[in-house]
mmCIF file of all heavy atoms in Angstrom:
data_model
loop_
_atom_site.group_PDB
_atom_site.id
_atom_site.type_symbol
_atom_site.label_atom_id
_atom_site.label_comp_id
_atom_site.label_asym_id
_atom_site.label_seq_id
_atom_site.Cartn_x
_atom_site.Cartn_y
_atom_site.Cartn_z
ATOM 1 N N MET A 1 0.871 -1.180 0.018
ATOM 2 C CA MET A 1 -0.002 0.005 -0.005
ATOM 3 C C MET A 1 0.897 1.224 -0.005
ATOM 4 O O MET A 1 1.420 1.648 1.022
ATOM 5 C CB MET A 1 -0.902 -0.002 1.219
ATOM 6 C CG MET A 1 -1.869 1.172 1.282
ATOM 7 S SD MET A 1 -3.127 1.105 -0.022
ATOM 8 C CE MET A 1 -4.144 -0.228 0.625
ATOM 9 N N LEU A 2 1.097 1.819 -1.197
ATOM 10 C CA LEU A 2 1.909 3.006 -1.292
ATOM 11 C C LEU A 2 1.051 4.248 -1.003
ATOM 12 O O LEU A 2 -0.056 4.357 -1.446
ATOM 13 C CB LEU A 2 2.527 3.130 -2.696
ATOM 14 C CG LEU A 2 3.450 1.973 -3.127
ATOM 15 C CD1 LEU A 2 3.990 2.236 -4.527
ATOM 16 C CD2 LEU A 2 4.593 1.769 -2.163
ATOM 17 N N ASN A 3 1.666 5.165 -0.300
ATOM 18 C CA ASN A 3 0.952 6.424 0.003
ATOM 19 C C ASN A 3 1.931 7.548 -0.251
ATOM 20 O O ASN A 3 2.537 8.175 0.660
ATOM 21 C CB ASN A 3 0.530 6.449 1.478
ATOM 22 C CG ASN A 3 -0.303 7.668 1.835
ATOM 23 O OD1 ASN A 3 -0.934 8.303 0.952
ATOM 24 N ND2 ASN A 3 -0.293 8.048 3.121
ATOM 25 N N PRO A 4 2.149 7.914 -1.514
ATOM 26 C CA PRO A 4 3.176 8.945 -1.858
ATOM 27 C C PRO A 4 2.850 10.289 -1.237
ATOM 28 O O PRO A 4 1.666 10.720 -1.266
ATOM 29 C CB PRO A 4 3.081 8.965 -3.394
ATOM 30 C CG PRO A 4 2.493 7.694 -3.834
ATOM 31 C CD PRO A 4 1.548 7.308 -2.728
ATOM 32 N N ASN A 5 3.860 10.948 -0.762
ATOM 33 C CA ASN A 5 3.754 12.275 -0.191
ATOM 34 C C ASN A 5 3.727 13.270 -1.369
ATOM 35 O O ASN A 5 4.698 13.444 -2.069
ATOM 36 C CB ASN A 5 4.943 12.585 0.710
ATOM 37 C CG ASN A 5 4.910 13.957 1.326
ATOM 38 O OD1 ASN A 5 4.094 14.804 0.937
ATOM 39 N ND2 ASN A 5 5.803 14.179 2.279
ATOM 40 N N PRO A 6 2.594 13.967 -1.622
ATOM 41 C CA PRO A 6 2.507 14.859 -2.776
ATOM 42 C C PRO A 6 3.475 16.047 -2.732
ATOM 43 O O PRO A 6 3.761 16.671 -3.771
ATOM 44 C CB PRO A 6 1.058 15.314 -2.758
ATOM 45 C CG PRO A 6 0.617 15.156 -1.327
ATOM 46 C CD PRO A 6 1.363 13.954 -0.849
ATOM 47 N N ASP A 7 3.963 16.341 -1.543
ATOM 48 C CA ASP A 7 4.933 17.424 -1.448
ATOM 49 C C ASP A 7 6.308 17.060 -1.977
ATOM 50 O O ASP A 7 7.175 17.876 -2.270
ATOM 51 C CB ASP A 7 5.085 17.903 0.007
ATOM 52 C CG ASP A 7 3.861 18.641 0.481
ATOM 53 O OD1 ASP A 7 3.191 19.290 -0.342
ATOM 54 O OD2 ASP A 7 3.549 18.548 1.693
ATOM 55 N N GLU A 8 6.557 15.691 -2.101
ATOM 56 C CA GLU A 8 7.800 15.197 -2.535
ATOM 57 C C GLU A 8 7.761 14.380 -3.787
ATOM 58 O O GLU A 8 8.711 14.344 -4.580
ATOM 59 C CB GLU A 8 8.485 14.386 -1.415
ATOM 60 C CG GLU A 8 8.772 15.183 -0.132
ATOM 61 C CD GLU A 8 9.698 14.399 0.799
ATOM 62 O OE1 GLU A 8 10.814 14.036 0.376
ATOM 63 O OE2 GLU A 8 9.301 14.165 1.920
ATOM 64 N N VAL A 9 6.641 13.709 -4.005
ATOM 65 C CA VAL A 9 6.524 12.754 -5.098
ATOM 66 C C VAL A 9 5.333 13.105 -5.973
ATOM 67 O O VAL A 9 4.220 13.176 -5.491
ATOM 68 C CB VAL A 9 6.379 11.298 -4.581
ATOM 69 C CG1 VAL A 9 6.186 10.324 -5.709
ATOM 70 C CG2 VAL A 9 7.592 10.942 -3.736
ATOM 71 N N GLU A 10 5.573 13.270 -7.246
ATOM 72 C CA GLU A 10 4.484 13.610 -8.182
ATOM 73 C C GLU A 10 3.904 12.343 -8.772
ATOM 74 O O GLU A 10 2.715 12.288 -9.086
ATOM 75 C CB GLU A 10 5.027 14.521 -9.327
ATOM 76 C CG GLU A 10 3.986 15.013 -10.270
ATOM 77 C CD GLU A 10 4.527 16.146 -11.128
ATOM 78 O OE1 GLU A 10 5.026 17.147 -10.539
ATOM 79 O OE2 GLU A 10 4.443 16.020 -12.346
ATOM 80 N N GLU A 11 4.753 11.343 -8.996
ATOM 81 C CA GLU A 11 4.287 10.075 -9.628
ATOM 82 C C GLU A 11 5.167 8.958 -9.234
ATOM 83 O O GLU A 11 6.388 9.128 -8.929
ATOM 84 C CB GLU A 11 4.347 10.286 -11.185
ATOM 85 C CG GLU A 11 3.826 9.073 -11.967
ATOM 86 C CD GLU A 11 3.986 9.309 -13.442
ATOM 87 O OE1 GLU A 11 4.051 10.499 -13.903
ATOM 88 O OE2 GLU A 11 4.020 8.311 -14.186
ATOM 89 N N VAL A 12 4.635 7.748 -9.170
ATOM 90 C CA VAL A 12 5.404 6.522 -8.964
ATOM 91 C C VAL A 12 5.170 5.625 -10.180
ATOM 92 O O VAL A 12 4.033 5.480 -10.646
ATOM 93 C CB VAL A 12 4.889 5.783 -7.705
ATOM 94 C CG1 VAL A 12 5.672 4.463 -7.518
ATOM 95 C CG2 VAL A 12 5.065 6.664 -6.452
ATOM 96 N N PHE A 13 6.262 5.075 -10.733
ATOM 97 C CA PHE A 13 6.094 4.174 -11.888
ATOM 98 C C PHE A 13 7.172 3.112 -11.813
ATOM 99 O O PHE A 13 8.151 3.224 -11.046
ATOM 100 C CB PHE A 13 6.165 4.943 -13.201
ATOM 101 C CG PHE A 13 7.544 5.498 -13.539
ATOM 102 C CD1 PHE A 13 8.443 4.875 -14.351
ATOM 103 C CD2 PHE A 13 7.926 6.751 -12.997
ATOM 104 C CE1 PHE A 13 9.663 5.401 -14.675
ATOM 105 C CE2 PHE A 13 9.156 7.293 -13.307
ATOM 106 C CZ PHE A 13 10.020 6.629 -14.154
ATOM 107 N N THR A 14 6.946 2.036 -12.548
ATOM 108 C CA THR A 14 7.914 0.930 -12.562
ATOM 109 C C THR A 14 8.344 0.706 -14.011
ATOM 110 O O THR A 14 7.681 1.003 -14.979
ATOM 111 C CB THR A 14 7.344 -0.395 -12.057
ATOM 112 O OG1 THR A 14 6.214 -0.779 -12.871
ATOM 113 C CG2 THR A 14 6.860 -0.201 -10.587
ATOM 114 N N LEU A 15 9.582 0.187 -14.160
ATOM 115 C CA LEU A 15 10.099 -0.302 -15.418
ATOM 116 C C LEU A 15 10.581 -1.731 -15.223
ATOM 117 O O LEU A 15 11.360 -2.014 -14.338
ATOM 118 C CB LEU A 15 11.298 0.575 -15.872
ATOM 119 C CG LEU A 15 10.994 1.962 -16.370
ATOM 120 C CD1 LEU A 15 12.250 2.761 -16.640
ATOM 121 C CD2 LEU A 15 10.133 1.901 -17.664
ATOM 122 N N PRO A 16 10.044 -2.668 -15.991
ATOM 123 C CA PRO A 16 10.477 -4.045 -15.896
ATOM 124 C C PRO A 16 11.963 -4.170 -16.175
ATOM 125 O O PRO A 16 12.553 -3.458 -16.998
ATOM 126 C CB PRO A 16 9.711 -4.773 -16.981
ATOM 127 C CG PRO A 16 8.511 -3.868 -17.245
ATOM 128 C CD PRO A 16 8.994 -2.499 -17.042
ATOM 129 N N LEU A 17 12.637 -5.080 -15.464
ATOM 130 C CA LEU A 17 14.070 -5.286 -15.715
ATOM 131 C C LEU A 17 14.298 -5.747 -17.166
ATOM 132 O O LEU A 17 15.285 -5.382 -17.777
ATOM 133 C CB LEU A 17 14.628 -6.311 -14.734
ATOM 134 C CG LEU A 17 14.602 -5.899 -13.255
ATOM 135 C CD1 LEU A 17 15.197 -7.011 -12.405
ATOM 136 C CD2 LEU A 17 15.337 -4.593 -13.034
ATOM 137 N N ALA A 18 13.335 -6.484 -17.720
ATOM 138 C CA ALA A 18 13.482 -6.903 -19.105
ATOM 139 C C ALA A 18 13.497 -5.728 -20.063
ATOM 140 O O ALA A 18 14.224 -5.711 -21.013
ATOM 141 C CB ALA A 18 12.334 -7.844 -19.495
ATOM 142 N N HIS A 19 12.724 -4.720 -19.756
ATOM 143 C CA HIS A 19 12.666 -3.473 -20.545
ATOM 144 C C HIS A 19 14.045 -2.781 -20.431
ATOM 145 O O HIS A 19 14.618 -2.347 -21.443
ATOM 146 C CB HIS A 19 11.586 -2.556 -20.026
ATOM 147 C CG HIS A 19 11.559 -1.187 -20.632
ATOM 148 N ND1 HIS A 19 10.804 -0.886 -21.744
ATOM 149 C CD2 HIS A 19 12.214 -0.062 -20.287
ATOM 150 C CE1 HIS A 19 10.966 0.401 -22.060
ATOM 151 N NE2 HIS A 19 11.865 0.938 -21.200
ATOM 152 N N LEU A 20 14.580 -2.660 -19.220
ATOM 153 C CA LEU A 20 15.829 -1.945 -19.012
ATOM 154 C C LEU A 20 17.017 -2.669 -19.684
ATOM 155 O O LEU A 20 18.007 -2.081 -20.066
ATOM 156 C CB LEU A 20 16.082 -1.764 -17.518
ATOM 157 C CG LEU A 20 15.124 -0.812 -16.819
ATOM 158 C CD1 LEU A 20 15.244 -0.992 -15.290
ATOM 159 C CD2 LEU A 20 15.366 0.655 -17.211
ATOM 160 N N LEU A 21 16.894 -3.993 -19.786
ATOM 161 C CA LEU A 21 17.976 -4.804 -20.348
ATOM 162 C C LEU A 21 17.946 -4.877 -21.870
ATOM 163 O O LEU A 21 18.916 -5.369 -22.462
ATOM 164 C CB LEU A 21 17.926 -6.223 -19.771
ATOM 165 C CG LEU A 21 18.385 -6.345 -18.297
ATOM 166 C CD1 LEU A 21 17.982 -7.726 -17.708
ATOM 167 C CD2 LEU A 21 19.910 -6.114 -18.196
ATOM 168 N N ARG A 22 16.927 -4.410 -22.484
ATOM 169 C CA ARG A 22 16.864 -4.422 -23.976
ATOM 170 C C ARG A 22 17.700 -3.285 -24.514
ATOM 171 O O ARG A 22 17.566 -2.119 -24.120
ATOM 172 C CB ARG A 22 15.428 -4.272 -24.453
ATOM 173 C CG ARG A 22 14.553 -5.472 -24.191
ATOM 174 C CD ARG A 22 13.282 -5.433 -25.033
ATOM 175 N NE ARG A 22 12.391 -6.505 -24.653
ATOM 176 C CZ ARG A 22 11.226 -6.335 -24.028
ATOM 177 N NH1 ARG A 22 10.790 -5.129 -23.741
ATOM 178 N NH2 ARG A 22 10.451 -7.387 -23.753
ATOM 179 N N GLU A 23 18.541 -3.575 -25.465
ATOM 180 C CA GLU A 23 19.460 -2.596 -26.014
ATOM 181 C C GLU A 23 18.694 -1.401 -26.671
ATOM 182 O O GLU A 23 19.160 -0.280 -26.628
ATOM 183 C CB GLU A 23 20.408 -3.184 -27.063
ATOM 184 C CG GLU A 23 21.482 -4.079 -26.406
ATOM 185 C CD GLU A 23 22.559 -4.471 -27.391
ATOM 186 O OE1 GLU A 23 22.588 -3.891 -28.453
ATOM 187 O OE2 GLU A 23 23.348 -5.337 -27.034
ATOM 188 N N GLU A 24 17.511 -1.661 -27.222
ATOM 189 C CA GLU A 24 16.806 -0.574 -27.856
ATOM 190 C C GLU A 24 16.281 0.422 -26.879
ATOM 191 O O GLU A 24 15.863 1.526 -27.257
ATOM 192 C CB GLU A 24 15.656 -1.130 -28.734
ATOM 193 C CG GLU A 24 14.563 -1.902 -27.968
ATOM 194 C CD GLU A 24 14.824 -3.406 -27.991
ATOM 195 O OE1 GLU A 24 16.025 -3.805 -28.043
ATOM 196 O OE2 GLU A 24 13.802 -4.136 -27.977
ATOM 197 N N ASN A 25 16.259 0.056 -25.623
ATOM 198 C CA ASN A 25 15.814 1.011 -24.547
ATOM 199 C C ASN A 25 16.963 1.657 -23.804
ATOM 200 O O ASN A 25 16.755 2.365 -22.849
ATOM 201 C CB ASN A 25 14.919 0.234 -23.600
ATOM 202 C CG ASN A 25 13.668 -0.308 -24.245
ATOM 203 O OD1 ASN A 25 13.121 0.309 -25.159
ATOM 204 N ND2 ASN A 25 13.202 -1.438 -23.783
ATOM 205 N N GLN A 26 18.187 1.372 -24.281
ATOM 206 C CA GLN A 26 19.383 1.919 -23.656
ATOM 207 C C GLN A 26 20.033 2.955 -24.564
ATOM 208 O O GLN A 26 20.152 2.761 -25.777
ATOM 209 C CB GLN A 26 20.399 0.821 -23.375
ATOM 210 C CG GLN A 26 19.871 -0.272 -22.471
ATOM 211 C CD GLN A 26 20.746 -1.561 -22.493
ATOM 212 O OE1 GLN A 26 21.830 -1.526 -23.044
ATOM 213 N NE2 GLN A 26 20.280 -2.596 -21.885
ATOM 214 N N GLY A 27 20.417 4.084 -24.017
ATOM 215 C CA GLY A 27 21.112 5.094 -24.754
ATOM 216 C C GLY A 27 22.259 5.637 -23.954
ATOM 217 O O GLY A 27 22.569 5.164 -22.868
ATOM 218 N N TYR A 28 22.903 6.670 -24.481
ATOM 219 C CA TYR A 28 23.966 7.338 -23.763
ATOM 220 C C TYR A 28 24.091 8.762 -24.262
ATOM 221 O O TYR A 28 23.636 9.100 -25.352
ATOM 222 C CB TYR A 28 25.293 6.535 -23.955
ATOM 223 C CG TYR A 28 25.649 6.334 -25.395
ATOM 224 C CD1 TYR A 28 26.423 7.316 -26.093
ATOM 225 C CD2 TYR A 28 25.283 5.176 -26.073
ATOM 226 C CE1 TYR A 28 26.764 7.153 -27.419
ATOM 227 C CE2 TYR A 28 25.635 5.009 -27.402
ATOM 228 C CZ TYR A 28 26.356 5.977 -28.075
ATOM 229 O OH TYR A 28 26.701 5.806 -29.386
#
């Protein structure tokens, strides 16, 4: 049960590790 503090957090989101590990989603 997440209860983000609106004074500090505007949004919470997740990225799957599979997404982060795909080369097409990696840049520099």
